[in-house]
Amino acid sequence: MAGRILEKALATVSLSVALACVSVRSLACPSIPAYSESNFSPKFNEKDGHVERKSQNGLYEIENGRPRNPAGRTGLVGRGLLGRWGPNHAADPIITRWKRDSSGNKITHPISGKNILQFVAIKRKDCGEWAIPGGMVDPGEKISATLKREFGEEALNSLQKSNAEKKEIEEQLHKLFSQEHLVIYKGYVDDPRNTDNAWMETEAINYHDETGETMDNLTLEAGDDAGKVKWVDISDKLKLYASHSQFIKLVAEKRDAHWSEDSDPGCSGL
């Protein structure tokens, strides 16, 4: 008798699990636009209204009506967690300053002999990894505006400030983002959200506060997608989200700052 009861219970559980799986699959499908829908006909490889569907790496292939990841297969089909089919454009502002002692003198690394550079890093709420404070480019938005907006929202918590505080933040950010800057990277990025039909592309720009005076007038405060924010010393020991370590390494090279204690750059581990 006990065996028959257990058998029936197991059968009931199996049926419930099966039905739940069917329900999950049926609910998941509508979240991804179907190409058969008359109201969804994206124009790939060109500006589609306010949405930029051109890739920074040139033309990409369209296969069976869907864009094909230019870097190859990922093992995941569809749009996945990304907002758009094809390229999803982001902007990453890399804000740097020289590390200084209490007297205001630049601090050099004892082994490399190069000045130590710092950058503003955030801890992402979604995955808990440290990263460059950046985000997605809104439809019709210029990259320069995205860089400033994302840094303000994630590293200064500008969304929660009063109008007077927002005005002060805007003035300081204008000084920082209006100066000469370095384009560190522009194009496809290796991102865990990439699929066979949707992928991330970014423009990483370095804004350097040479004297540190501009950033001294701004208080770092995590906001929006950021759980924490702080100044971080740049070196090859950094472990950052996605391709961000590679961007930071490029900044160190361009600014002739400390990166590795090893004299052979080929030995540094990202």
Side-chain angles (χ1 to χ4, degrees), residues 196-270:
D196 290 356
N197 310 111
W199 59 92
M200 287 294 302
E201 296 187 8
T202 196
E203 195 164 330
I205 310 291
N206 174 219
Y207 294 91
H208 181 64
D209 188 5
E210 179 63 29
T211 64
E213 293 178 1
T214 300
M215 288 306 299
D216 282 346
N217 293 322
L218 291 169
T219 303
L220 296 182
E221 182 183 341
D224 198 28
D225 300 326
K228 295 180 180 179
V229 60
K230 66 179 180 178
W231 285 102
V232 175
D233 291 357
I234 290 178
S235 78
D236 63 347
K237 294 179 174 58
L238 286 174
K239 301 297 180 185
L240 302 175
Y241 177 79
S243 304
H244 291 192
S245 290
Q246 297 171 28
F247 301 157
I248 296 301
K249 181 183 180 182
L250 290 172
V251 172
E253 291 176 350
K254 289 179 180 291
R255 298 288 178 188
D256 194 27
H258 168 71
W259 172 253
S260 173
E261 295 180 5
D262 198 311
S263 58
D264 181 2
C267 294
S268 63
L270 283 177

Side-chain angles (χ1 to χ4, degrees), residues 4 99 101 105 135 151 169 180-181 187 196 228 232 252 261-262:
R4 284 199 298 274
K99 186 174 185 179
D101 59 23
N105 301 311
F151 184 77
I169 290 175
E180 188 178 346
H181 56 270
D196 290 356
K228 295 180 180 179
V232 175
E261 295 180 5
D262 198 311

Side-chain angles (χ1 to χ4, degrees), residues 159-176:
L159 292 176
Q160 301 302 318
K161 301 298 182 182
S162 65
N163 290 334
E165 291 172 322
K166 287 180 180 178
K167 184 179 179 181
E168 176 61 26
I169 290 175
E170 178 60 33
E171 289 176 356
Q172 295 301 325
L173 287 182
H174 180 73
K175 290 180 184 178
L176 181 64

Side-chain angles (χ1 to χ4, degrees), residues 14-113:
S14 298
L15 179 60
S16 299
V17 170
L19 288 173
C21 290
V22 171
S23 299
V24 168
R25 281 197 294 270
S26 64
L27 287 172
C29 291
S31 64
I32 300 177
Y35 278 84
S36 58
E37 293 180 8
S38 58
N39 61 343
F40 185 68
S41 54
K43 299 175 182 178
F44 294 117
N45 283 309
E46 62 180 282
K47 189 73 174 286
D48 187 7
H50 291 298
V51 178
E52 181 59 82
R53 298 193 188 276
K54 289 189 291 185
S55 168
Q56 294 172 328
N57 294 96
L59 295 176
Y60 49 87
E61 295 181 17
I62 308 299
E63 187 178 79
N64 298 322
R66 297 189 175 191
R68 186 171 178 177
N69 190 322
R73 300 294 186 187
T74 64
L76 296 171
V77 297
R79 182 169 56 85
L81 296 174
L82 294 175
R84 298 191 179 94
W85 296 87
N88 287 255
H89 297 286
D92 293 310
I94 305 172
I95 309 303
T96 56
R97 70 178 184 186
W98 296 112
K99 186 174 185 179
R100 299 176 185 272
D101 59 23
S102 57
S103 300
N105 301 311
K106 295 179 183 177
I107 298 177
T108 58
H109 192 275
I111 297 179
S112 69

